[in-house]
Structures are given as C-alpha cells and as structure tokens.
Amino acid sequence: MYITNDIKYIGVNDHEIDLFEGQYDVPNGMAYNSYAILDEKIAVMDSVDGNFKDEWLKNIKDTLGERTPDYLVVQHMEPDHSANIVSFVQEYPNAKIVSSSKAFAMMKNFFNTDFSDRQIVVGEGDTLSLGKHTLTFLTAPMVHWPEVIVTYDDYDKVLFSADGFGKFGALDVEEDWACEARRYYFGIVGKYGVQVQSLLKKASKLDIQTICPLHGPVLSDDLSYYLGLYDTWSSYKSEDEGIVIAYTSVYGNTKKAVMTLADKLKANGAKKVVVNDLARCDMHEAVEDAFRYDKIVFATTTYNAEIFPFMREFISHLTERNFQNKTVAFIENGTWAPTAAKAMKEMLSKCKNLEYAKTDVKIMSALNDESLAQLETLAKELCGAKVTFGGESSMKYVCNVCGWIYDEEKGSPENGVAAGTAFDDLPDDFVCPLCGVPQENFSPVEQ
C-alpha cells in the first residue's frame, strides 16, 4: 500500500476475529493499522493487536532494513493498538516512547511499567522533529478514550487520526466505506459527539491531504466526503430522510402490524422504509439505522408490565449514545394491560429534541378496525399529510406574557405532556415553562 514516499504501511489484517470488542460482528475481519515515517529519525505510529506481534515486528524490519526506529508514538491505549509495546521495547531498546501522560498511566496498568526511562510526554500543540517531517500532537480526549492524541505531519500533510475515521473490515476486502464506518462510529464513538466536534474544529485549521486511521483504509480522495459525514454523525443530525421501524413480536401480531404500517408508509410516499426485527437482526445495524434516518417507529409487546427484552436493549443502546433530533412514534401490543408505549417513552425521556408523533397505535392482542385505522393515520402523519384528530386540526396556543407556543401535536414532553394532548386536557397545574404563568394567560394561534 502506497501512502507517501516517506510514510509506509506496516499494519496487519485479522480474519480470525468474529466479534470486535466482544460484541460487534465483523464478517470481513479487521485491520489494525500501524505506520512508519522514514526521515533522519524514524517514528513508528502505534502497535497492533497482540495476536499479530511477529507479523508486525517483521513488517517493521522489512520496511526499515538495516535501520532501527527512534520513536514509537502511542496515540491510543486500547489493546488492539498497544498490546505489543513491550515487545517493541525489547526489540528496540534505544527507542523512545511518545505519548500522553494519561497513556503512560495506562501503560502502568497494562504492563506494570510506564517506561519512565524512555518517556516523551506530549500534549496539545507539542511537536517532534524527525528531520524534514515535524509531528504536531493534538489531544483528542474521549475520542473515544481519555488518553487519545492524534498526530499531524506537516511535510506530507497527513493526519494520523487514531480511531477517528476508522471502520470495520480488513483491508484486503472490498466494501463500501460509509456503511461499516457508520456502524463503527455509532457503536464505538457515538456517545462522544461533542468531543468529536471539538477534534473536527482542530482539524479544520490544518491542511490535511491524507487521513491515516487505526482501522480501515487510508483516506486521500475527496476528504470533504469523510469529514462531512463525521460532522453529521457527531452533531447528531440525520444523514438521510427515511423511516425506521424497529420491532419485537412474540406470536406474530405485532409483526403483522409493522408490515402493514410499512406498506401504508410506502403507499403514502415514504422515500425509504427500513424494518428491523430486533430479535433476529444485527443489533448494531439497527442502531446505525436509527441514527441514520430522521424518523423511527418503536413497536413492541408489553412484557412483565414493561417491554420485550430486545426492545429494552435497543433503546438502551440509543440512549447511551445520545440519541436525539428525531421524529418518534410508537406501536404497543398487550392482551389485558398495554404499558409498552409508556415504558418506551420513559426510557427516551432524557433524549434531546425528540418530536413525538401524535398518533400512538394500541393493539389489543391482534389488529382490528380501530388499530388498523390508527396505523393509517400514523402512516399519513409520518409522511407529512395533514391529519385531523377527533375531527379537529391540531391547535397551537401562545403565552401572552413571553410568547412561548404550546403545540397540541407536539405536546411538551420536557414538562411531562405527551404529544397529541389537547390544550383543554392539560393538567390543572400546567404553567408556561418559560415564564411560569398559568393556562388562562394563553391564546389560540390563528392558523
């Protein structure tokens, strides 16, 4: 693999692994990337997984010939990148280790030594000269561990991005970058969007022509594409217009409702409808879809007065990754006391900027005329058609004191008022969330 005249690839492919980090299915394996920068002095950028010690050390020797490395730069301490530090030190006893102070503390944890006799501690803006190549180090805490640094080479204009811009899959397999990079991002980095945004701002000040991540291919063509996707993902914007239906079903009745809704959505002009059976699909693919598209329907059965386990797991994956900025709808099923919609809303209550559909679909065991009509109404609502509820159009009311608007269609979830709650049905103690005045200070908005 050619990167530049001075930067050589010395990483490895892993086709033995089945689950990355013990949970992510990787049918096309993984790449553990490492690089050597050849100059008056030589820097090796990161190590590889411990199972590939011999191959990695051989790659270094084959690339350097009679020369030996002067530095090992450790950007990230996860074992798939740091496991061979001790082996490197044994092989090259005169080399220095360059890393952050937090990384050296972690080395003590992993290896019972922090290599104090060969440390070069670097932080934000520190530099290291190799000759014509000068490396500048940028801190990237929580992208996605606290010790992470990334490295910019000003001569070849290369950003060594640690786990940023990585993807699942070995390098000897051809596959679409975005699909597996998206699943990798939301699975592994997704919680830390604020921190990724901070790193992107730092990167925007650099003249970057090539990105060398620790997983996945080296990126050099149309970097605006990759940077743009990372900006979208880390700011929790929807990447595409579409409706995801995530469901669980015990005896098939909830599934029947989901498939009926999918057909109705398509009939009403939905551009993209994605259906995920959470008991059978790749859970992390379903998480990827939930973040990718702008609308989602949660459909599940009441189970032990709560929700079915696969749905609980799915929503937990979303909430711990800061799920937000979506239109959300619910289908619940229960034979005697449906509580699934309430339980799902409670799990999502801390998520930001969720716009709840006014229509909740309630199934009592199996579809009937009433729940079929609810599915039809929900399909139209999600597809943007004007829908009337109870014979009246949704109304808005403005606070005469501060101008805050109560929208019946949206409700006020932050105040515990569900979407679809009519103004006249607001609790007696409802007050304006901005200025605190009671309901009698509101007036209808002319529409």
Side-chain angles (χ1 to χ4, degrees):
M1 176 198 305
Y2 178 81
I3 302 175
T4 72
N5 290 335
D6 298 335
I7 299 176
K8 309 298 182 182
Y9 184 80
I10 53 173
V12 300
N13 288 315
D14 181 0
H15 285 289
E16 299 301 317
I17 188 171
D18 59 342
L19 294 176
F20 182 69
E21 292 191 350
Q23 60 177 316
Y24 301 102
D25 185 36
V26 283
N28 289 329
M30 285 297 295
Y32 309 119
N33 296 339
S34 177
Y35 309 89
I37 306 173
L38 309 184
D39 202 338
E40 295 173 17
K41 293 185 176 181
I42 296 174
V44 171
M45 305 298 296
D46 294 291
S47 171
V48 300
D49 184 86
N51 292 322
F52 297 88
K53 177 191 75 173
D54 294 338
E55 183 179 348
W56 180 61
L57 291 175
K58 182 178 184 299
N59 288 347
I60 294 174
K61 289 184 178 181
D62 290 347
T63 299
L64 272 55
E66 298 300 317
R67 299 184 68 187
T68 57
D70 298 278
Y71 306 105
L72 173 64
V73 178
V74 179
Q75 300 185 112
H76 184 22
M77 275 300 297
E78 275 193 288
D80 55 331
H81 307 301
S82 67
N84 293 302
I85 293 176
V86 172
S87 299
F88 179 90
V89 168
Q90 292 171 346
E91 190 75 20
Y92 301 107
N94 295 322
K96 301 290 186 181
I97 300 176
V98 183
S99 199
S100 66
S101 60
K102 285 186 172 64
F104 283 114
M106 291 181 181
M107 290 180 206
K108 185 77 171 179
N109 296 337
F110 278 112
F111 311 125
N112 200 32
T113 178
D114 60 3
F115 307 100
S116 58
D117 60 334
R118 63 184 72 235
Q119 284 187 10
I120 299 179
V121 179
V122 294
E124 183 70 30
D126 288 340
T127 61
L128 178 68
S129 176
L130 305 179
K132 61 186 179 182
H133 295 260
T134 297
L135 305 183
T136 300
F137 302 100
L138 306 174
T139 59
M142 301 317 301
V143 186
H144 58 117
W145 276 23
E147 86 297 356
V148 173
I149 56 175
V150 300
T151 308
Y152 178 67
D153 170 24
D154 67 349
Y155 183 81
D156 279 328
K157 304 188 186 309
V158 173
L159 179 68
F160 296 91
S161 61
D163 269 350
F165 300 95
K167 66 175 285 294
F168 297 124
L171 297 187
D172 55 1
V173 176
E174 290 289 334
E175 62 183 358
D176 177 67
W177 182 87
C179 180
E180 288 296 70
R182 186 187 300 106
R183 185 165 70 99
Y184 175 93
Y185 175 86
F186 284 113
I188 294 172
V189 191
K191 180 177 181 178
Y192 304 108
V194 172
Q195 291 83 354
V196 174
Q197 282 284 303
S198 177
L199 181 58
L200 288 175
K201 289 179 181 177
K202 294 180 184 181
S204 68
K205 300 175 183 178
L206 304 173
D207 180 9
I208 301 171
Q209 296 184 5
T210 303
I211 297 175
C212 290
L214 289 178
H215 296 293
V218 172
L219 308 175
S220 57
D221 297 328
D222 190 17
L223 293 186
S224 63
Y225 170 72
Y226 308 105
L227 291 165
L229 283 177
Y230 253 63
D231 180 58
T232 296
W233 298 342
S234 59
S235 55
Y236 301 101
K237 300 173 185 173
S238 297
E239 185 181 341
D240 292 305
E241 182 179 340
I243 303 168
V244 177
I245 310 175
Y247 80 95
T248 64
S249 186
V250 180
Y251 296 109
N253 288 307
T254 306
K255 178 179 180 180
K256 183 177 181 180
V258 164
M259 297 307 174
T260 300
L261 176 62
D263 289 340
K264 290 180 180 296
L265 289 169
K266 294 171 186 175
N268 278 276
K271 292 183 178 180
K272 180 74 174 181
V273 179
V274 178
V275 178
N276 284 315
D277 178 352
L278 298 177
R280 295 172 175 82
C281 70
D282 182 329
M283 181 65 72
H284 302 290
E285 290 275 6
V287 170
E288 172 193 346
D289 287 337
F291 280 95
R292 179 177 182 176
Y293 297 103
D294 62 338
K295 298 175 183 176
I296 183 167
V297 180
F298 298 92
T300 194
T301 51
T302 299
Y303 189 83
N304 288 334
E306 288 285 340
I307 56 178
F308 204 70
F310 291 109
M311 179 61 77
R312 176 167 292 281
E313 178 188 356
F314 177 62
I315 295 177
S316 293
H317 278 300
L318 299 184
T319 56
E320 72 183 36
R321 290 165 172 81
N322 291 326
F323 188 66
Q324 57 189 275
N325 301 325
K326 304 293 179 182
T327 297
V328 176
F330 301 96
I331 299 173
E332 66 175 355
N333 194 348
T335 296
W336 62 90
T339 60
K342 178 182 178 182
M344 289 187 286
K345 289 176 183 178
E346 288 177 353
M347 289 189 72
L348 292 164
S349 63
K350 293 183 179 179
C351 296
K352 299 177 181 178
N353 300 324
L354 297 185
E355 180 177 344
Y356 291 93
K358 190 168 183 179
T359 308
D360 283 348
V361 177
K362 179 181 291 188
I363 304 166
M364 298 299 290
S365 301
L367 285 171
N368 57 21
D369 290 344
E370 182 178 358
S371 50
L372 281 168
Q374 291 171 351
L375 288 174
E376 181 66 39
T377 301
L378 178 59
K380 291 179 179 178
E381 184 180 354
L382 292 176
C383 292
K386 183 66 176 178
V387 179
T388 58
F389 299 91
E392 294 182 357
S393 298
S394 174
M395 292 286 292
K396 297 180 181 179
Y397 294 79
V398 62
C399 175
N400 298 326
V401 176
C402 70
W404 183 80
I405 292 177
Y406 175 75
D407 185 343
E408 290 182 339
E409 184 175 351
K410 297 179 180 179
S412 185
E414 67 273 20
N415 298 313
V417 179
T421 301
F423 184 81
D424 291 339
D425 293 332
L426 288 173
D428 293 337
D429 60 353
F430 179 84
V431 296
C432 175
L434 287 187
C435 67
V437 299
Q439 297 176 51
E440 55 262 31
N441 290 279
F442 282 68
S443 300
V445 176
E446 294 184 5
Q447 300 185 63

